[in-house]
Structures are given as C-alpha cells and as structure tokens.
Amino acid sequence: MAEQPSGNSGAQGNPALEEAGSSQLVSHEDYLAAVEAVLMVAEEPVSPAELATAVSLPQHQVQALLDELRAEADGVTENWPGDAPAGAPRQRGYELREVAGGWRYYSRARYAEQVSAFVLGGQTSRLSPAALETLAVIAYRQPVARSAVSAIRGVNVDGVVRTLVQRGLLDTAGTDPVTGATLYVTTAEFLERLGLDSIEDLPKLSPHLPGVEDLEDDASAV
Amino acid sequence: MAEQPSGNSGAQGNPALEEAGSSQLVSHEDYLAAVEAVLMVAEEPVSPAELATAVSLPQHQVQALLDELRAEADGVTENWPGDAPAGAPRQRGYELREVAGGWRYYSRARYAEQVSAFVLGGQTSRLSPAALETLAVIAYRQPVARSAVSAIRGVNVDGVVRTLVQRGLLDTAGTDPVTGATLYVTTAEFLERLGLDSIEDLPKLSPHLPGVEDLEDDASAV
Amino acid sequence: MVEPALAETADPAADQGHVALDDQGQEIRSGFTVSLDGFDGPFDLLLGLIAKRRMDVTKVALAEVTEEFIAYVRTLEAQRALDESSNFVFVAATLLDMKLVQLLPGSQVESEDDIAALEARDLLFARLLQYKAFKQIADQMGAAAAENAGRFARRPGAHPDMANLLPELVWNTTAEDLKALAERALARRQAEPDEVGLAHLHAAAVNVRAEMAAMTEQLRAAGRCSFTELVAGAESRLVVVVRFLGLLELFRDRSVEFDQQVPLGELLVTWSGQAGTSQDALDRAAAEWDEGEGDAAGKSTSGQESRDG
C-alpha cells in the first residue's frame, strides 16, 4: 500500500495516502511511527501543530494519527481504511493522553504500583489542602497577585506560592501595572497534574456560589 | 535479587503461567504491560533485576518479557507459547534498547530526521541565562538536588537541568539518602569548557554568602 | 528540617498519603484548636460556626478561648508564636465583628451604624461564601489530581544518539562569570524576603511642613492655582500625596478653599488665609505627619482622632 505521490487523494483518515511532504516517509505506518518517535523524545506535551511541522503533514492528518495511536495504546480496535484490523490489540502499559494543549505518553494508572518506584521527583508528593486552595484561586483569577489570593483565603500564602512555583505548578507572569505586585499564573504542569487539556476544562465556579436566596438563608442562620 | 522462589516452572517463556508474585497482575499481557509501563517512564535505563523486583517476577522471566517487547516494537513476529501471533505487528516509532546493563525505550533511528526537526525546533546553540545561573549554582553546591537549586533560584529548574544534562555539562550522581531526590554534579566536559583541572579550581565565593548548611536547612524547610 | 516532605520528594511516604499536610507549615494556619471543635484556620473556623446553625456566636466565650490560646502560644518558639498570634487576633476580631452584628436588634435598622454593621456582615458573608466555593473547587481539583496520580509522564532522559543532534554549544563563559552568577543567585535569595518590603516607602522622606510652606508661598503669590500646577514640580508620587495632605491641612485651617466643578475634574485651590503666617497649621501638620523620620505611611491612622475633633 501507500504509493500515490500525486497528492489530492480522497483517502480520508489515512494521511499517508495523501501527499507526503517528506521524501522519506511513505506508508501510513511510517507516519504513525514517526509521530510516535517524536512523542517519545518530547519533554512536555506536544501540540499537533509542532508534530505537523516535524513530520511534514497537515495538522488534521496528524490529529487523525494521534487518535489512532491513542486507540491503539488503549487496545481499542478501529477500522482505518486501508489498514487491516489485526485482531484485538493488547492494551499497552502506556497511554497517549491529550493534556495541557498537547499530547504525551503516560504510564497507565493500572501499573502505578510497579512504576512509582522508578519515578523520582515531586510528582508523587500529594498536594496539601492549602496548596490546592491556593491553586484553585489562582487558576480562576489568573493572572493574580498573592495579596488577592490571601484576601480570598484569609491567610498569608507567600510560602505556599513559593513552594508551588518551585514545583512548577505556578509561574510568575509580570507585575501589576498599578501596584507592581508580582502576578502568578498556573502552568502546563498544573494542567498535566490534573489531567486537563486546558484551563477551560476546570469546573465552573458559579454553581458553587449560592444564589441570593441561599445567601439570605445563610445570613439569617448566623 | 529476585531469585526464583519456587523453581519448578513449567511454561518457559510465559511468566504469567507461573506463580504470580503480585496479586494485581494476572495475565501474561498484564506483565508485559507493567514492564512496558516502567520502561516508558523511568528516566534512566532499568536493569532486569530492578524490573524483576518491581513486577515481582523472577529475573529470567523478566528477560523473556523484555525480549518479547523488543521483538514486538521491532515488528518481528515470534511465536510465544500460548500466545497467538496476531498477524504481522507494525514496526514502532520506538525501539527497546539495552544500554549499559539497563533497558529503555528510545525513538527509532529511522525517524531521526523527524525527531531532530522537532528537537532542534526548540534548541539554540547558546545556554540561556537561566541555564547558566543554574549551572553556576550546581557547580558550587554539588552534589545537589534540583529542589535545592529551585530553592536558591526561586523558580522551577527541571527544564534547564534537563538541558544541561543533555548538553553533557551535568550528570546525575545517585540520590539523596534522606529524600531520595536525584543529585546532580558537573561533568568533566564542564571543567574542560572552563579550562579547569578540578572543581577545586573554581574561584572562591565571597565569604558573606550563606554556608552550605544554611542552604540545606532552608531547602528542606520549603 | 521543618517539613522534610517538601524537599523535592521521592519521599516514599508520599505515596501512602502521609504527607497530605505538607505545605501546612508554610502558612499561618494555626495548629491551635479552639476547644469548641477542631477548627483549623480563620475561615475554616468561621465556616464551621456558620455550618453549625445551632451554635450561637454570642455564646462563644472569647475570654476562655484567649486563655487557652495564650497557654498554647507559650509552648511555641518565638517566630511561630508571632505568626500564630497575629492569626489568632484576626480570628478573634472577626468573631467580635460577628458578635456585634448578632447583638444588634435586627428588625429595626435605623441608624447609620446599624446599616454599616449590616454592610460589614454582608461583606463578611460574601467573602466566606466565595472562599467556600473555592474550597469546594479545591476538593474537586484534589480528587482530579489523586485520580491522575497513578499516571506518570514519559520523560525522554538522555538519548544515546541525541547528543549529536544538538547544535554545537557556543561557550564563552569563564569561571569568573560563573562565580559571579552563583554569588548573585545566592545573594538574591538573602535579599528577597517573603514579606512585601516596605523599605522603599521610607526611602525618600518627604516633609509635609516644607511642602506646605512652599505651596503657601505659591498660592499667596498666585491667589489661585490648580492642583496640577501645585504638583507640577513633584519629583515622585509620594511628593504628590504629601502635597495633597498638606492642602487638606491648609483647608482645615481655612487657609485655602477648594473648587471642583465635576467629579474627577480639575481641583482649583484658592488662597483665603490671612496675610500672616499659618505657623500653627504648619506645626500641627508637622507634628502629625512628619514625626518619626518620614514615616508617612504609618502616620495616617495616628493623626485620625485629632483631626476629627
């Protein structure tokens, strides 16, 4: 399979059958493998645009390849045109996840016990309630100064914020033009940590805020 | 380590049919996936002995699993007893390599062009100011954990440390006996670049700066 | 070694969840528990009070709690005791606020004070509810993080072939450069405390008396100036603020009159004082604002009572 150098083919979902930008890669499997190879050396989630540049394919085709790789790792059989479904593939020890605006390989949660001994670094330490509350406020109010977070949480947050910056879950983002206070934002690592693709995926804050009636209830109850 | 407890194995090459040390993993595919998971995320090559401990299997069975995973990644069909060969598997974008007594997944050489296009996309021929400062701190405080450098610089240094390791200017040197954090030291190449014979030849720091003890205290307190 | 779990931890205990409270020590969150129930922090305490609707805030004997607290603080080292004490004062003040509100006759809101107290109460509830919302979100985030904790990201590590891919490193750093970089990094850490530095506020001592005298001279000569004209030569924002304060002092002394046609419009200042010197005003202003070596920020409150009289 996989000749057709001419271009404009109709084989949707099989990027290799469309025009190949690189002279080297010819087959669909080649492209799958190339994307796989790039993901293998990435330090952080890789966006489809970056992958598209690296393997010289249009982004929508890379997207299709990513979906295929993800399904394959999960042991889900899908029928790709021109690709014989080779029985039920086994579920891999890794999964390909879409997080923080990109794609990255992760070990499968099922094997956390076997893997955890080999993973060093802060990843395994749990986030304290204080850290989570601070992250929550900053996630919704970013970019935001520490003083604003303190005002909402009612405690000094300097230490927690510094720790979170060191752990890569927060980053500084310039200063407030009026007060000169350092502003903080959440990082891609924060999104990864929660398994989110973007900050938009956080739950809405409004349902947690009571309506006026509730507020009056609460007020009269005191 | 991981000597075979029972000895009387029947089904050679199919570890799952032997006594399972872990209550969690049952099938052959489970064991394959667990080894795969560890190899996928461990930062350095993992020895068969370490793998054997992690998945609670005798080492020779882990060796068989490694051979199977390597063959699978290479797209080579082998007949494993009790395992139906599911057509010709595709050759992966990664390969399982044995390096310095350990095993790890690496991107396949065939896709070097795409991989280098990706890697070079973000690389420059100069070290960033952040990288240089990190290097300076590590040079004077080695062996030192990333967290301690973070504490000094006030920012997460994971990314720059990786760059410096990639550049051969830093190397890992075991782990902290207390925290288990990886320790970093400068390399011979680093000395060579500076034209120094040994670390002792680095210019002395001003005596007014906090001593090493203070630093360690502070870093652990953060 | 206060919180060893926080150093970059591959701490084995982390996996078992023993260090869930690891960041705690970084906050002023109190280890003190009021004997009413196990509370842990000012807002937590207040939320707890609200949640237990049957609990009457007015019944909380602040004196007893204070006794307990003092006993507790005696067991702490100095720095920690200071932190906890300021935290406790915050809690106690808020409690007092709530008591005050509760003791007011709720049905007959008439006086300005009543309304102000109610507004304060609403504000307090708004803050509490906002915090409650974030707390719930934080719980959800914690659950998401925990669910995700079993997955570990692939880290590429060093690739045996990759070193050749990197462009040749341009290196022109000397050992002396590195020494300078290391010293700067180490020194910076000492120089940057966690607290907001106030030193810069005191850097330029601006003298109210001198500014008032200068403006008096200018106004006497011109008869009438706009505020813009009065602060035209001000070298810093602090000088502008001080001159404004000076004008207020002169206004109190009936030496000037203000005229502003529209809100935020140009402020016109007219000299209306006698030809004689307003030495009294200068002395009084200097006593209120200039004492204590340009400590302008701290004086705004201490000057309050005397001016209201």
Side-chain angles (χ1 to χ4, degrees):
Chain A
M1 70 180 180
E3 276 72 10
Q4 200 160 356
S6 57
N8 55 7
S9 83
Q12 264 295 342
N14 189 341
L17 295 184
E18 286 190 41
E19 188 201 6
S22 159
S23 57
Q24 260 202 312
L25 306 179
V26 282
S27 71
H28 175 64
E29 293 195 350
D30 248 359
Y31 278 105
L32 271 180
V35 169
E36 217 168 26
V38 171
L39 289 171
M40 223 50 176
V41 301
E43 306 266 357
E44 44 195 43
V46 192
S47 70
E50 289 173 284
L51 283 167
T53 309
V55 302
S56 306
L57 274 186
Q59 203 171 317
H60 73 274
Q61 296 187 346
V62 168
Q63 191 65 51
L65 290 170
L66 287 166
D67 288 336
E68 185 173 349
L69 285 172
R70 167 160 62 184
E72 194 184 44
D74 290 345
V76 178
T77 314
E78 293 195 34
N79 286 326
W80 296 94
D83 198 16
R90 73 180 176 86
Q91 192 183 67
R92 296 283 167 158
Y94 55 81
E95 46 188 327
L96 182 56
R97 310 191 71 220
E98 188 175 9
V99 285
W103 294 71
R104 188 173 192 182
Y105 278 118
Y106 285 84
S107 66
R108 199 167 285 283
R110 176 160 164 57
Y111 306 106
E113 195 189 305
Q114 287 79 29
V115 168
S116 55
F118 294 92
V119 181
L120 299 170
Q123 230 177 354
T124 51
S125 67
R126 282 180 45 176
L127 292 166
S128 69
L132 282 167
E133 282 176 23
T134 302
L135 284 171
V137 173
I138 293 178
Y140 285 88
R141 294 280 188 259
Q142 59 186 310
V144 66
R146 279 185 308 206
S147 59
V149 184
S150 284
I152 289 173
R153 293 200 50 225
V155 288
N156 180 299
V157 298
D158 293 0
V160 171
V161 165
R162 196 174 28 149
T163 305
L164 291 170
V165 169
Q166 278 171 22
R167 288 204 195 167
L169 296 169
L170 291 180
D171 202 356
T172 55
T175 55
D176 186 297
V178 178
T179 65
T182 305
L183 299 174
Y184 292 87
V185 292
T186 56
T187 60
E189 189 158 335
F190 163 78
L191 292 174
E192 276 199 76
R193 185 76 180 252
L194 295 190
L196 298 176
D197 187 27
S198 95
I199 209 76
E200 317 293 309
D201 295 343
L202 279 172
K204 290 275 169 294
L205 191 58
S206 44
H208 295 275
L209 288 167
V212 178
E213 330 77 52
D214 299 341
L215 203 150
E216 279 170 358
D217 271 5
D218 275 10
S220 59
V222 172
Chain B
M1 155 181 347
E3 290 310 324
Q4 203 166 341
S6 55
N8 46 359
S9 76
Q12 263 296 342
N14 189 340
L17 295 185
E18 285 191 40
E19 187 203 4
S22 159
S23 57
Q24 260 201 312
L25 306 178
V26 281
S27 70
H28 175 64
E29 291 197 351
D30 246 1
Y31 278 103
L32 268 182
V35 171
E36 198 171 40
V38 172
L39 294 173
M40 196 58 138
V41 302
E43 292 204 46
E44 296 185 13
V46 187
S47 72
E50 289 174 295
L51 283 168
T53 309
V55 301
S56 305
L57 276 184
Q59 203 170 320
H60 75 273
Q61 296 187 346
V62 167
Q63 192 61 55
L65 289 171
L66 287 168
D67 289 338
E68 184 174 349
L69 286 171
R70 171 157 60 182
E72 194 185 43
D74 290 346
V76 178
T77 314
E78 294 196 33
N79 285 325
W80 296 94
D83 197 17
R90 71 181 177 86
Q91 192 184 67
R92 295 280 165 163
Y94 53 80
E95 52 191 336
L96 184 56
R97 280 205 218 170
E98 190 175 5
V99 183
W103 294 70
R104 195 157 192 278
Y105 281 114
Y106 293 99
S107 63
R108 191 172 289 281
R110 174 159 162 58
Y111 305 103
E113 191 186 308
Q114 286 77 29
V115 167
S116 58
F118 173 75
V119 172
L120 293 180
Q123 280 291 345
T124 56
S125 55
R126 242 169 242 284
L127 289 178
S128 67
L132 275 174
E133 190 180 286
T134 302
L135 188 60
V137 171
I138 293 178
Y140 281 95
R141 291 290 182 249
Q142 60 187 309
V144 65
R146 281 185 307 213
S147 60
V149 184
S150 285
I152 291 167
R153 297 200 50 233
V155 293
N156 183 275
V157 297
D158 294 3
V160 283
V161 166
R162 271 202 298 273
T163 305
L164 292 166
V165 169
Q166 241 176 23
R167 283 299 194 174
L169 297 166
L170 292 181
D171 203 354
T172 56
T175 56
D176 184 297
V178 178
T179 64
T182 305
L183 298 173
Y184 290 86
V185 293
T186 54
T187 60
E189 178 166 346
F190 166 79
L191 290 175
E192 218 172 288
R193 296 248 181 211
L194 290 179
L196 300 178
D197 284 336
S198 100
I199 277 302
E200 313 300 314
D201 299 339
L202 276 172
K204 292 279 169 287
L205 288 182
S206 146
H208 304 301
L209 292 164
V212 178
E213 326 77 54
D214 300 346
L215 281 172
E216 277 169 359
D217 273 4
D218 283 7
S220 57
V222 166
Chain C
M1 294 300 282
V2 190
E3 299 285 336
L6 274 179
E8 157 165 47
T9 105
D11 183 347
D15 295 326
Q16 277 96 55
H18 290 315
V19 291
L21 301 179
D22 55 10
D23 287 352
Q24 224 72 325
Q26 291 302 307
E27 292 200 321
I28 314 185
R29 186 168 283 207
S30 176
F32 174 65
T33 46
V34 180
S35 62
L36 303 166
D37 209 335
F39 305 120
D40 72 334
F43 280 135
D44 280 345
L45 171 60
L46 292 168
L47 275 179
L49 290 171
I50 288 171
K52 297 187 191 332
R53 296 183 174 218
R54 270 169 300 170
M55 176 181 282
D56 188 345
V57 186
T58 62
K59 298 287 193 311
V60 178
L62 203 52
E64 281 174 30
V65 178
T66 308
E67 292 283 316
E68 282 178 43
F69 180 76
I70 289 171
Y72 166 74
V73 161
R74 290 218 172 92
T75 68
L76 300 175
E77 41 155 338
Q79 180 56 44
R80 186 93 199 278
L82 183 65
D83 289 348
E84 297 245 349
S85 300
S86 40
N87 192 29
F88 181 76
V89 168
F90 179 81
V91 176
T94 317
L95 261 177
L96 276 176
D97 264 5
M98 293 180 75
K99 284 181 121 171
L100 187 75
V101 166
Q102 191 74 353
L103 291 169
L104 283 172
S107 51
Q108 32 195 318
V109 181
E110 275 161 21
S111 76
E112 291 279 313
D113 287 350
D114 286 356
I115 290 167
L118 282 177
E119 278 173 356
R121 189 182 70 166
D122 286 349
L123 204 62
L124 182 61
F125 283 127
R127 286 180 66 194
L128 283 171
L129 291 170
Q130 176 181 245
Y131 172 67
K132 200 172 164 188
F134 277 116
K135 207 173 157 62
Q136 283 169 353
I137 293 278
D139 287 345
Q140 290 188 7
M141 281 172 41
E147 199 235 292
N148 211 30
R151 301 186 177 103
F152 301 92
R154 157 98 181 164
R155 294 192 187 279
H159 193 295
D161 308 334
M162 198 67 84
N164 314 326
L165 286 178
L166 295 171
E168 179 58 25
L169 191 62
V170 175
W171 182 275
N172 43 23
T173 309
T174 66
E176 284 297 328
D177 293 341
L178 274 188
K179 166 178 173 277
L181 283 168
E183 284 184 342
R184 201 185 330 149
L186 294 166
R188 184 173 56 225
R189 191 159 149 285
Q190 283 186 312
E192 284 176 9
D194 296 333
E195 304 82 37
V196 177
L198 294 173
H200 60 283
L201 293 178
H202 302 234
V206 184
N207 189 299
V208 175
R209 179 198 287 262
E211 297 296 334
M212 279 171 73
M215 285 190 298
T216 300
E217 210 166 298
Q218 190 179 350
L219 282 164
R220 269 196 192 136
R224 184 182 171 104
C225 293
S226 71
F227 185 63
T228 312
E229 287 165 348
L230 285 172
V231 298
E235 56 269 33
S236 75
R237 195 168 294 174
L238 182 60
V239 172
V240 174
V241 171
V242 168
R243 284 192 191 168
F244 185 72
L245 287 174
L247 280 178
L248 292 179
E249 290 293 337
L250 289 170
F251 179 73
R252 192 170 79 180
D253 201 42
R254 300 202 162 81
S255 295
V256 297
E257 281 170 9
F258 293 138
D259 185 21
Q260 191 175 31
Q261 296 294 332
V262 288
L264 302 178
E266 180 66 270
L267 181 67
L268 289 173
V269 187
T270 312
W271 181 254
S272 60
Q274 309 86 343
T277 61
S278 52
Q279 193 59 49
D280 286 353
L282 287 179
D283 287 347
R284 193 191 55 234
E288 284 179 15
W289 301 102
D290 287 342
E291 67 185 324
E293 271 307 302
D295 192 1
K299 285 299 156 251
S300 56
T301 38
S302 64
Q304 205 80 37
E305 318 87 33
S306 56
R307 253 177 299 130
D308 290 344

